[in-house]
Amino acid sequence: MKYFAVFLSMKDEELSRIHRQKHLDFLAQKRESGTVLMNGRFTDGTGGLIIYRAENEESAVSLVKQDPYISLGARDYEIREWDMETNYEF
C-alpha cells in the first residue's frame, strides 16, 4: 500500500461552506474503511490536506474525485506520493 498527500486548495468558499458536511461525511467513511489515514484544514483558510492509502496513484485519484469538495467544484487538488517515515531517531 502506498500513501498519497492530497492538498485541497480553496476554489469556491461558498460551495465549500455548502458542501462541508458532505465532505466530512465522505472522509469519515473513508477513515472507517482505512483509505484515509488523516486529514485536516489549514488554519489560514486556504484549504486542507488529506493522506490517502491506495495501491497506486490512479486509485488515489479515483478516491479524490469522489470527494464532494472535488466533484461539486468547491476545491482543486494536487496529489503527491508520500513516503511515510516511521523510524525516526531523536
Side-chain angles (χ1 to χ4, degrees):
M1 205 54 89
K2 295 180 179 183
Y3 296 94
F4 296 88
V6 177
F7 299 87
L8 297 182
S9 57
M10 185 66 68
K11 183 176 177 180
D12 186 309
E13 288 185 34
E14 181 65 14
L15 286 177
S16 289
R17 186 187 62 73
I18 291 169
H19 300 301
R20 179 173 171 74
Q21 192 58 54
K22 291 176 192 169
H23 166 72
L24 294 175
D25 292 345
F26 169 80
L27 292 177
Q29 177 191 20
K30 296 304 176 191
R31 268 194 312 277
E32 286 179 25
S33 71
T35 55
V36 166
L37 181 65
M38 62 182 68
N39 62 278
R41 66 179 186 89
F42 297 133
T43 59
D44 65 1
T46 60
L49 172 71
I50 304 168
I51 306 295
Y52 284 95
R53 290 172 22 157
E55 290 293 324
N56 53 46
E57 187 169 341
E58 183 179 311
S59 297
V61 168
S62 177
L63 287 167
V64 172
K65 288 182 176 182
Q66 294 173 38
D67 184 333
Y69 268 179
I70 301 302
S71 65
L72 297 171
R75 304 283 175 102
D76 284 323
Y77 74 92
E78 181 180 339
I79 188 168
R80 298 267 200 267
E81 187 172 344
W82 183 51
D83 186 12
M84 184 173 71
E85 283 289 331
T86 57
N87 293 328
Y88 290 107
E89 292 184 31
F90 293 98

Coordinates of all heavy atoms in Angstrom, one line a residue:
M1 N 0.8 -1.2 0.0 CA 0.0 0.0 0.0 C 0.9 1.2 0.0 O 1.9 1.3 0.7 CB -0.9 0.0 1.3 CG -2.2 0.7 1.2 SD -3.3 0.3 -0.1 CE -4.3 -1.0 0.5
K2 N 0.5 2.2 -0.8 CA 1.2 3.5 -0.8 C 0.4 4.6 -0.2 O -0.8 4.5 0.0 CB 1.5 3.9 -2.3 CG 2.4 2.9 -3.0 CD 2.6 3.3 -4.5 CE 3.5 2.3 -5.1 NZ 3.8 2.7 -6.5
Y3 N 1.1 5.7 0.1 CA 0.5 6.9 0.7 C 0.5 8.0 -0.3 O 1.5 8.2 -1.0 CB 1.1 7.2 2.0 CG 1.0 6.2 3.1 CD1 2.0 5.2 3.2 CD2 -0.1 6.1 3.9 CE1 1.9 4.2 4.2 CE2 -0.2 5.1 4.8 CZ 0.8 4.2 5.0 OH 0.7 3.2 5.9
F4 N -0.6 8.8 -0.3 CA -0.6 10.0 -1.1 C -1.1 11.2 -0.4 O -2.2 11.1 0.3 CB -1.6 9.7 -2.3 CG -1.1 8.6 -3.2 CD1 -1.4 7.3 -2.9 CD2 -0.3 8.9 -4.3 CE1 -0.9 6.3 -3.7 CE2 0.2 7.9 -5.1 CZ -0.1 6.6 -4.8
A5 N -0.4 12.3 -0.4 CA -0.7 13.5 0.2 C -1.5 14.3 -0.8 O -1.1 14.5 -1.9 CB 0.5 14.3 0.6
V6 N -2.7 14.7 -0.4 CA -3.6 15.5 -1.3 C -3.9 16.8 -0.7 O -4.5 16.9 0.4 CB -4.9 14.7 -1.6 CG1 -5.8 15.5 -2.5 CG2 -4.6 13.3 -2.2
F7 N -3.5 17.9 -1.4 CA -3.7 19.2 -1.0 C -5.0 19.7 -1.7 O -5.1 19.7 -2.9 CB -2.5 20.1 -1.4 CG -1.2 19.7 -0.8 CD1 -0.4 18.8 -1.4 CD2 -0.8 20.3 0.5 CE1 0.8 18.4 -0.8 CE2 0.4 19.9 1.0 CZ 1.2 18.9 0.4
L8 N -6.0 20.1 -0.9 CA -7.2 20.6 -1.4 C -7.2 22.2 -1.2 O -7.3 22.7 -0.1 CB -8.4 20.1 -0.6 CG -8.6 18.6 -0.7 CD1 -9.9 18.2 0.1 CD2 -8.8 18.1 -2.1
S9 N -7.0 22.8 -2.3 CA -6.9 24.3 -2.3 C -8.3 24.9 -2.5 O -9.1 24.3 -3.3 CB -5.9 24.8 -3.3 OG -6.3 24.4 -4.6
M10 N -8.6 26.0 -1.9 CA -9.9 26.7 -2.0 C -10.1 27.1 -3.4 O -9.3 27.8 -4.0 CB -9.9 27.9 -1.0 CG -11.2 28.6 -0.9 SD -12.5 27.5 -0.2 CE -12.0 27.4 1.5
K11 N -11.3 26.8 -3.9 CA -11.7 27.2 -5.3 C -12.9 28.1 -5.1 O -13.0 29.2 -5.8 CB -12.0 26.0 -6.1 CG -12.4 26.2 -7.5 CD -12.5 24.9 -8.2 CE -13.0 25.1 -9.7 NZ -13.2 23.8 -10.3
D12 N -13.8 27.7 -4.3 CA -15.1 28.5 -4.1 C -15.5 28.4 -2.6 O -15.9 27.3 -2.2 CB -16.1 27.9 -5.0 CG -17.4 28.7 -5.1 OD1 -18.0 29.0 -4.0 OD2 -17.9 29.0 -6.2
E13 N -15.4 29.5 -1.9 CA -15.7 29.5 -0.5 C -17.2 29.1 -0.2 O -17.5 28.4 0.7 CB -15.3 30.8 0.1 CG -13.8 31.0 0.3 CD -13.5 32.3 1.0 OE1 -14.2 32.7 1.9 OE2 -12.4 32.9 0.7
E14 N -18.0 29.7 -1.0 CA -19.5 29.4 -0.8 C -19.8 27.9 -1.0 O -20.5 27.3 -0.2 CB -20.3 30.3 -1.8 CG -21.8 30.1 -1.6 CD -22.3 30.6 -0.2 OE1 -21.6 31.3 0.5 OE2 -23.5 30.2 0.1
L15 N -19.3 27.3 -2.1 CA -19.5 25.9 -2.3 C -18.9 25.1 -1.2 O -19.4 24.0 -0.8 CB -19.0 25.5 -3.7 CG -19.8 25.9 -4.9 CD1 -19.1 25.5 -6.2 CD2 -21.2 25.4 -4.9
S16 N -17.7 25.5 -0.7 CA -17.1 24.8 0.4 C -18.0 24.8 1.6 O -18.1 23.8 2.3 CB -15.7 25.4 0.7 OG -14.8 25.1 -0.4
R17 N -18.5 26.0 1.9 CA -19.4 26.1 3.0 C -20.7 25.2 2.9 O -21.1 24.4 3.7 CB -19.9 27.5 3.2 CG -20.7 27.7 4.5 CD -21.2 29.2 4.6 NE -22.1 29.5 3.5 CZ -23.4 29.0 3.4 NH1 -23.9 28.2 4.3 NH2 -24.1 29.4 2.4
I18 N -21.3 25.2 1.7 CA -22.5 24.5 1.4 C -22.3 23.0 1.5 O -23.1 22.2 2.0 CB -23.0 24.8 0.0 CG1 -23.6 26.3 0.0 CG2 -24.1 23.9 -0.5 CD1 -23.9 26.8 -1.4
H19 N -21.1 22.5 1.0 CA -20.9 21.1 0.9 C -19.9 20.5 2.0 O -19.5 19.3 1.9 CB -20.3 20.7 -0.5 CG -21.2 21.1 -1.6 ND1 -22.5 20.6 -1.7 CD2 -21.1 22.0 -2.6 CE1 -23.1 21.1 -2.8 NE2 -22.2 21.9 -3.4
R20 N -19.7 21.3 3.0 CA -18.7 20.9 4.1 C -19.2 19.6 4.7 O -18.4 18.7 4.9 CB -18.6 22.0 5.1 CG -17.7 21.6 6.3 CD -17.4 22.8 7.2 NE -16.7 22.4 8.4 CZ -15.5 22.1 8.5 NH1 -14.7 22.2 7.4 NH2 -14.9 21.8 9.6
Q21 N -20.4 19.5 5.1 CA -20.9 18.2 5.8 C -20.8 17.0 4.9 O -20.3 15.9 5.4 CB -22.3 18.4 6.3 CG -22.7 17.3 7.3 CD -21.7 17.2 8.5 OE1 -21.5 18.2 9.2 NE2 -21.2 16.1 8.7
K22 N -21.1 17.1 3.6 CA -20.9 16.0 2.7 C -19.4 15.6 2.6 O -19.1 14.4 2.6 CB -21.4 16.4 1.3 CG -22.9 16.6 1.2 CD -23.2 17.0 -0.2 CE -24.7 17.5 -0.3 NZ -25.0 18.2 -1.5
H23 N -18.6 16.6 2.6 CA -17.1 16.3 2.5 C -16.7 15.6 3.8 O -16.0 14.6 3.8 CB -16.4 17.7 2.4 CG -14.9 17.6 2.7 ND1 -14.0 17.0 1.8 CD2 -14.2 18.1 3.7 CE1 -12.8 17.1 2.3 NE2 -12.9 17.8 3.5
L24 N -17.1 16.1 5.0 CA -16.7 15.5 6.2 C -17.3 14.1 6.4 O -16.6 13.2 6.9 CB -17.2 16.4 7.4 CG -16.5 17.7 7.5 CD1 -17.1 18.6 8.6 CD2 -15.0 17.6 7.7
D25 N -18.5 13.9 5.9 CA -19.1 12.5 5.9 C -18.3 11.6 5.1 O -18.1 10.4 5.4 CB -20.6 12.5 5.5 CG -21.5 13.3 6.5 OD1 -21.1 13.5 7.7 OD2 -22.6 13.6 6.1
F26 N -17.9 12.0 3.9 CA -17.1 11.2 3.0 C -15.8 10.8 3.6 O -15.4 9.7 3.6 CB -16.8 12.1 1.7 CG -15.8 11.5 0.8 CD1 -16.1 10.4 -0.1 CD2 -14.5 11.9 0.8 CE1 -15.1 9.9 -0.9 CE2 -13.5 11.4 0.0 CZ -13.8 10.4 -0.9
L27 N -15.1 11.8 4.3 CA -13.8 11.5 5.0 C -14.0 10.5 6.1 O -13.2 9.6 6.3 CB -13.2 12.8 5.5 CG -12.7 13.7 4.4 CD1 -12.1 15.0 5.1 CD2 -11.6 13.1 3.5
A28 N -15.1 10.6 6.9 CA -15.4 9.7 8.0 C -15.5 8.3 7.4 O -15.0 7.3 8.0 CB -16.6 10.2 8.7
Q29 N -16.3 8.2 6.3 CA -16.5 6.8 5.7 C -15.2 6.3 5.2 O -14.9 5.1 5.4 CB -17.5 7.0 4.5 CG -17.7 5.7 3.8 CD -18.4 5.9 2.5 OE1 -18.5 7.0 1.9 NE2 -19.0 4.8 2.0
K30 N -14.3 7.1 4.6 CA -13.0 6.6 4.1 C -12.1 6.3 5.2 O -11.2 5.4 5.1 CB -12.4 7.6 3.1 CG -13.3 7.8 1.9 CD -13.5 6.5 1.1 CE -14.4 6.7 0.0 NZ -14.8 5.4 -0.6
R31 N -12.1 7.0 6.4 CA -11.3 6.7 7.5 C -11.7 5.3 8.1 O -10.9 4.5 8.4 CB -11.4 7.7 8.6 CG -10.4 8.8 8.5 CD -10.3 9.7 9.8 NE -11.6 10.1 10.3 CZ -12.2 11.2 9.8 NH1 -11.7 11.9 8.9 NH2 -13.4 11.5 10.3
E32 N -13.0 5.1 8.2 CA -13.5 3.8 8.7 C -13.1 2.6 7.8 O -12.8 1.5 8.3 CB -15.0 3.8 8.8 CG -15.6 4.6 9.9 CD -17.1 4.6 10.0 OE1 -17.7 3.7 9.4 OE2 -17.6 5.6 10.5
S33 N -13.0 2.9 6.5 CA -12.6 1.8 5.6 C -11.1 1.7 5.4 O -10.6 0.7 4.8 CB -13.2 2.0 4.2 OG -12.6 3.1 3.5
G34 N -10.3 2.6 6.1 CA -8.9 2.6 6.1 C -8.2 3.2 4.9 O -7.0 3.1 4.7
T35 N -8.9 3.9 4.0 CA -8.3 4.6 2.9 C -7.9 6.0 3.2 O -7.1 6.6 2.4 CB -9.2 4.6 1.6 OG1 -10.5 5.1 2.0 CG2 -9.4 3.2 1.1
V36 N -8.4 6.6 4.3 CA -7.9 7.9 4.7 C -7.2 7.7 6.0 O -7.7 7.2 7.0 CB -9.0 8.9 4.9 CG1 -8.6 10.2 5.7 CG2 -9.6 9.4 3.5
L37 N -5.9 8.1 6.0 CA -5.1 7.9 7.2 C -5.3 9.1 8.1 O -5.4 8.9 9.4 CB -3.6 7.8 6.8 CG -2.6 7.7 7.9 CD1 -2.8 6.3 8.6 CD2 -1.2 7.8 7.3
M38 N -5.3 10.3 7.6 CA -5.5 11.5 8.4 C -5.9 12.7 7.5 O -5.7 12.6 6.3 CB -4.3 11.9 9.2 CG -3.1 12.2 8.3 SD -1.6 12.6 9.3 CE -1.2 11.0 10.0
N39 N -6.5 13.7 8.1 CA -6.9 14.8 7.3 C -7.1 16.0 8.3 O -7.2 15.9 9.5 CB -8.3 14.6 6.6 CG -9.4 14.3 7.6 OD1 -9.5 13.2 8.0 ND2 -10.2 15.3 7.9
G40 N -7.0 17.2 7.7 CA -7.2 18.4 8.5 C -7.2 19.7 7.6 O -6.8 19.6 6.4
R41 N -7.7 20.8 8.1 CA -7.7 22.0 7.4 C -6.5 22.9 7.7 O -5.9 22.7 8.8 CB -9.0 22.8 7.8 CG -9.0 23.3 9.2 CD -10.3 24.1 9.5 NE -10.2 24.6 10.8 CZ -9.7 25.8 11.1 NH1 -9.2 26.6 10.1 NH2 -9.7 26.3 12.3
F42 N -6.2 23.8 6.8 CA -5.1 24.7 7.0 C -5.7 25.9 7.8 O -6.8 26.3 7.5 CB -4.5 25.2 5.7 CG -3.8 24.2 4.9 CD1 -4.1 24.0 3.6 CD2 -3.0 23.2 5.5 CE1 -3.5 23.1 2.8 CE2 -2.4 22.2 4.8 CZ -2.6 22.2 3.4
T43 N -5.0 26.3 8.9 CA -5.5 27.3 9.7 C -5.7 28.7 9.1 O -6.5 29.5 9.6 CB -4.7 27.5 11.0 OG1 -3.3 27.8 10.6 CG2 -4.7 26.2 11.8
D44 N -5.1 28.9 7.9 CA -5.2 30.2 7.2 C -6.4 30.2 6.3 O -6.7 31.2 5.6 CB -3.9 30.6 6.5 CG -3.6 29.6 5.4 OD1 -4.3 28.6 5.1 OD2 -2.5 29.8 4.7
G45 N -7.2 29.1 6.3 CA -8.4 29.1 5.4 C -8.2 28.8 4.0 O -9.1 28.9 3.2
T46 N -7.0 28.4 3.6 CA -6.7 28.2 2.1 C -7.0 26.8 1.6 O -6.9 26.6 0.4 CB -5.2 28.6 1.8 OG1 -4.4 27.7 2.6 CG2 -4.9 30.0 2.1
G47 N -7.4 25.9 2.5 CA -7.7 24.6 2.1 C -7.4 23.6 3.2 O -7.5 23.9 4.4
G48 N -7.0 22.4 2.7 CA -6.7 21.3 3.7 C -5.8 20.3 3.1 O -5.4 20.3 1.9
L49 N -5.5 19.2 3.9 CA -4.6 18.1 3.5 C -5.3 16.8 3.9 O -5.8 16.7 5.0 CB -3.3 18.3 4.2 CG -2.3 17.1 4.0 CD1 -1.8 17.1 2.6 CD2 -1.1 17.3 5.0
I50 N -5.2 15.9 3.0 CA -5.7 14.5 3.3 C -4.6 13.5 2.9 O -4.0 13.7 1.9 CB -7.0 14.2 2.5 CG1 -8.1 15.2 2.8 CG2 -7.5 12.8 2.8 CD1 -9.2 15.1 1.8
I51 N -4.3 12.5 3.8 CA -3.4 11.5 3.4 C -4.2 10.2 3.1 O -4.9 9.7 4.0 CB -2.4 11.2 4.6 CG1 -1.7 12.5 5.0 CG2 -1.5 10.1 4.2 CD1 -0.8 13.0 4.0
Y52 N -4.2 9.8 1.9 CA -4.9 8.6 1.4 C -3.9 7.4 1.4 O -2.7 7.6 1.1 CB -5.4 8.8 0.0 CG -6.7 9.7 -0.1 CD1 -6.6 11.0 -0.4 CD2 -7.9 9.1 0.0 CE1 -7.7 11.8 -0.5 CE2 -9.1 9.9 -0.1 CZ -8.9 11.2 -0.3 OH -10.0 12.0 -0.4
R53 N -4.5 6.2 1.6 CA -3.8 5.0 1.4 C -4.4 4.3 0.1 O -5.6 4.2 0.1 CB -3.9 4.0 2.6 CG -3.2 4.5 3.7 CD -3.4 3.8 5.0 NE -3.9 2.4 4.8 CZ -3.8 1.5 5.7 NH1 -3.2 1.7 6.9 NH2 -4.3 0.3 5.5
A54 N -3.6 4.0 -0.9 CA -4.1 3.4 -2.1 C -3.0 2.5 -2.7 O -1.8 2.7 -2.4 CB -4.5 4.5 -3.1
E55 N -3.4 1.7 -3.6 CA -2.5 0.8 -4.3 C -1.5 1.5 -5.2 O -0.4 1.2 -5.4 CB -3.2 -0.3 -5.1 CG -3.9 -1.3 -4.3 CD -3.0 -2.2 -3.5 OE1 -1.9 -2.5 -4.1 OE2 -3.3 -2.6 -2.4
N56 N -2.1 2.6 -5.9 CA -1.3 3.4 -6.8 C -1.9 4.7 -7.0 O -3.0 5.0 -6.4 CB -1.2 2.6 -8.2 CG -2.5 2.2 -8.7 OD1 -3.5 3.0 -8.7 ND2 -2.6 1.0 -9.2
E57 N -1.2 5.6 -7.8 CA -1.8 7.0 -7.9 C -3.1 7.0 -8.6 O -4.0 7.8 -8.2 CB -0.8 7.8 -8.7 CG -1.2 9.3 -8.7 CD -0.1 10.2 -9.2 OE1 1.1 9.9 -9.2 OE2 -0.5 11.4 -9.6
E58 N -3.3 6.1 -9.6 CA -4.6 6.1 -10.3 C -5.7 5.8 -9.3 O -6.8 6.4 -9.3 CB -4.6 5.0 -11.3 CG -5.8 4.9 -12.2 CD -5.7 3.9 -13.3 OE1 -4.7 3.9 -14.0 OE2 -6.6 3.1 -13.4
S59 N -5.5 4.9 -8.4 CA -6.5 4.5 -7.4 C -6.8 5.7 -6.4 O -7.9 6.0 -6.0 CB -6.1 3.3 -6.5 OG -6.0 2.2 -7.4
A60 N -5.7 6.4 -6.0 CA -5.8 7.6 -5.2 C -6.6 8.7 -5.8 O -7.4 9.3 -5.2 CB -4.4 8.0 -4.7
V61 N -6.3 8.9 -7.1 CA -7.0 10.0 -7.8 C -8.5 9.6 -7.9 O -9.4 10.5 -7.8 CB -6.4 10.2 -9.2 CG1 -7.3 11.1 -10.1 CG2 -5.0 10.8 -9.1
S62 N -8.8 8.4 -8.1 CA -10.2 7.9 -8.2 C -10.9 8.3 -6.8 O -12.0 8.7 -6.8 CB -10.3 6.4 -8.5 OG -11.6 6.0 -8.4
L63 N -10.2 8.0 -5.7 CA -10.8 8.4 -4.4 C -11.0 9.9 -4.3 O -12.0 10.3 -3.8 CB -9.9 7.9 -3.3 CG -9.8 6.4 -3.1 CD1 -8.6 6.0 -2.2 CD2 -11.1 5.9 -2.4
V64 N -10.0 10.6 -4.6 CA -10.0 12.1 -4.5 C -11.2 12.6 -5.3 O -12.0 13.5 -4.8 CB -8.7 12.7 -5.0 CG1 -8.9 14.2 -5.1 CG2 -7.6 12.3 -4.1
K65 N -11.4 12.1 -6.5 CA -12.5 12.6 -7.3 C -13.9 12.3 -6.8 O -14.9 12.8 -7.2 CB -12.4 12.1 -8.8 CG -11.2 12.8 -9.5 CD -11.1 12.3 -10.9 CE -10.0 13.1 -11.6 NZ -9.9 12.7 -13.0
Q66 N -14.0 11.3 -5.8 CA -15.3 11.0 -5.2 C -15.6 12.0 -4.1 O -16.8 12.1 -3.6 CB -15.2 9.6 -4.6 CG -15.1 8.5 -5.6 CD -14.9 7.2 -4.9 OE1 -15.4 6.9 -3.9 NE2 -14.0 6.3 -5.5
D67 N -14.6 12.7 -3.6 CA -14.8 13.7 -2.5 C -15.8 14.8 -3.0 O -15.6 15.4 -4.1 CB -13.5 14.3 -2.1 CG -13.6 15.3 -0.9 OD1 -14.6 15.9 -0.7 OD2 -12.5 15.4 -0.3
P68 N -16.9 15.1 -2.3 CA -17.8 16.1 -2.7 C -17.2 17.5 -3.0 O -17.6 18.2 -3.8 CB -18.8 16.2 -1.6 CG -18.8 14.8 -1.0 CD -17.4 14.3 -1.1
Y69 N -16.2 17.8 -2.2 CA -15.5 19.1 -2.5 C -14.9 19.1 -3.9 O -14.9 20.2 -4.5 CB -14.3 19.3 -1.5 CG -14.7 20.0 -0.2 CD1 -13.8 20.2 0.8 CD2 -16.0 20.6 0.0 CE1 -14.1 20.9 1.9 CE2 -16.3 21.2 1.2 CZ -15.3 21.4 2.1 OH -15.6 22.1 3.3
I70 N -14.4 18.0 -4.4 CA -13.9 18.0 -5.7 C -15.0 17.8 -6.8 O -15.1 18.6 -7.7 CB -12.8 16.8 -5.9 CG1 -11.7 17.1 -4.9 CG2 -12.3 16.7 -7.3 CD1 -10.9 18.4 -5.0
S71 N -15.8 16.8 -6.6 CA -16.9 16.5 -7.6 C -17.9 17.6 -7.7 O -18.5 17.8 -8.8 CB -17.6 15.2 -7.2 OG -18.3 15.3 -6.0
L72 N -18.1 18.5 -6.7 CA -19.1 19.5 -6.7 C -18.4 20.9 -7.0 O -19.1 21.9 -6.9 CB -19.9 19.6 -5.5 CG -20.7 18.3 -5.3 CD1 -21.4 18.3 -3.9 CD2 -21.8 18.1 -6.4
G73 N -17.1 20.9 -7.2 CA -16.4 22.1 -7.7 C -16.0 23.1 -6.6 O -15.7 24.3 -6.9
A74 N -16.0 22.7 -5.3 CA -15.6 23.6 -4.2 C -14.1 23.8 -4.1 O -13.6 24.8 -3.6 CB -16.2 23.1 -2.9
R75 N -13.4 22.7 -4.4 CA -11.9 22.8 -4.2 C -11.2 22.2 -5.5 O -11.7 21.4 -6.2 CB -11.5 21.9 -3.0 CG -12.2 22.2 -1.7 CD -11.6 23.5 -1.1 NE -12.2 23.9 0.1 CZ -11.8 23.6 1.3 NH1 -10.7 23.0 1.5 NH2 -12.5 24.1 2.4
D76 N -9.9 22.6 -5.6 CA -9.0 22.0 -6.6 C -8.1 21.1 -5.8 O -8.1 21.1 -4.5 CB -8.1 23.1 -7.2 CG -8.8 23.9 -8.3 OD1 -9.7 23.3 -9.0 OD2 -8.6 25.1 -8.4
Y77 N -7.4 20.2 -6.4 CA -6.5 19.3 -5.7 C -5.1 19.2 -6.4 O -5.0 19.4 -7.6 CB -7.1 17.9 -5.5 CG -7.2 17.0 -6.7 CD1 -6.1 16.2 -6.9 CD2 -8.2 17.1 -7.5 CE1 -6.2 15.3 -8.0 CE2 -8.3 16.3 -8.7 CZ -7.2 15.4 -8.9 OH -7.3 14.6 -10.0
E78 N -4.1 18.8 -5.6 CA -2.8 18.5 -6.0 C -2.4 17.2 -5.3 O -2.6 17.2 -4.0 CB -1.8 19.6 -5.7 CG -0.4 19.4 -6.2 CD 0.5 20.5 -5.8 OE1 0.0 21.7 -5.6 OE2 1.7 20.3 -5.8
I79 N -1.9 16.2 -5.9 CA -1.6 15.0 -5.3 C -0.1 14.6 -5.5 O 0.5 14.9 -6.5 CB -2.5 13.8 -5.9 CG1 -2.3 12.5 -5.1 CG2 -2.2 13.6 -7.4 CD1 -3.3 11.5 -5.4
R80 N 0.5 14.1 -4.4 CA 1.9 13.7 -4.4 C 2.0 12.4 -3.6 O 1.4 12.2 -2.6 CB 2.8 14.7 -3.7 CG 2.8 16.1 -4.2 CD 4.0 16.2 -5.2 NE 4.3 17.6 -5.4 CZ 3.9 18.3 -6.4 NH1 3.0 17.8 -7.2 NH2 4.3 19.5 -6.6
E81 N 2.8 11.4 -4.2 CA 3.0 10.2 -3.4 C 3.9 10.6 -2.3 O 4.8 11.4 -2.4 CB 3.7 9.2 -4.3 CG 3.9 7.8 -3.6 CD 4.4 6.7 -4.5 OE1 4.4 6.8 -5.7 OE2 4.8 5.7 -3.9
W82 N 3.6 10.0 -1.1 CA 4.3 10.4 0.2 C 4.9 9.2 0.8 O 4.2 8.1 0.9 CB 3.2 11.0 1.1 CG 3.7 11.5 2.4 CD1 4.8 12.3 2.6 CD2 3.2 11.2 3.7 NE1 4.9 12.6 3.9 CE2 3.9 11.9 4.6 CE3 2.1 10.4 4.1 CZ2 3.7 11.9 6.0 CZ3 1.9 10.4 5.5 CH2 2.6 11.1 6.4
D83 N 6.2 9.2 1.1 CA 6.9 8.2 1.7 C 6.9 8.4 3.2 O 7.7 9.2 3.7 CB 8.3 8.1 1.2 CG 9.1 6.9 1.7 OD1 8.5 6.0 2.3 OD2 10.3 6.9 1.5
M84 N 6.0 7.7 3.9 CA 5.8 8.0 5.4 C 7.0 7.3 6.1 O 7.1 6.1 6.1 CB 4.5 7.5 5.9 CG 4.3 7.8 7.3 SD 2.6 7.3 7.9 CE 2.7 5.6 7.9
E85 N 7.8 8.1 6.8 CA 8.9 7.5 7.6 C 8.3 7.1 9.0 O 7.5 7.9 9.6 CB 9.9 8.6 7.8 CG 10.8 8.8 6.7 CD 11.8 7.6 6.4 OE1 12.2 6.9 7.4 OE2 12.1 7.4 5.3
T86 N 8.7 6.0 9.5 CA 8.3 5.6 10.8 C 9.4 5.3 11.7 O 9.2 5.1 12.9 CB 7.4 4.3 10.7 OG1 8.2 3.3 10.0 CG2 6.2 4.5 9.9
N87 N 10.7 5.4 11.3 CA 11.8 5.1 12.1 C 12.6 6.4 12.3 O 13.6 6.6 11.6 CB 12.7 4.0 11.5 CG 12.1 2.7 11.5 OD1 11.3 2.4 12.4 ND2 12.3 1.9 10.5
Y88 N 12.2 7.2 13.2 CA 12.9 8.5 13.4 C 13.8 8.3 14.6 O 13.5 7.7 15.6 CB 11.9 9.6 13.7 CG 11.2 10.1 12.5 CD1 9.8 9.8 12.4 CD2 11.8 10.8 11.5 CE1 9.1 10.2 11.3 CE2 11.0 11.2 10.4 CZ 9.7 10.9 10.3 OH 9.0 11.3 9.2
E89 N 15.0 8.9 14.5 CA 15.9 9.0 15.7 C 15.9 10.4 16.2 O 16.1 11.3 15.5 CB 17.3 8.5 15.3 CG 17.4 7.1 14.9 CD 18.8 6.7 14.6 OE1 19.7 7.2 15.2 OE2 19.0 5.8 13.7
F90 N 15.6 10.5 17.5 CA 15.6 11.8 18.1 C 16.8 11.9 19.1 O 17.2 11.0 19.7 CB 14.3 12.1 18.9 CG 13.1 12.2 17.9 CD1 12.3 11.1 17.7 CD2 12.9 13.4 17.3 CE1 11.2 11.2 16.8 CE2 11.8 13.5 16.4 CZ 11.0 12.4 16.2

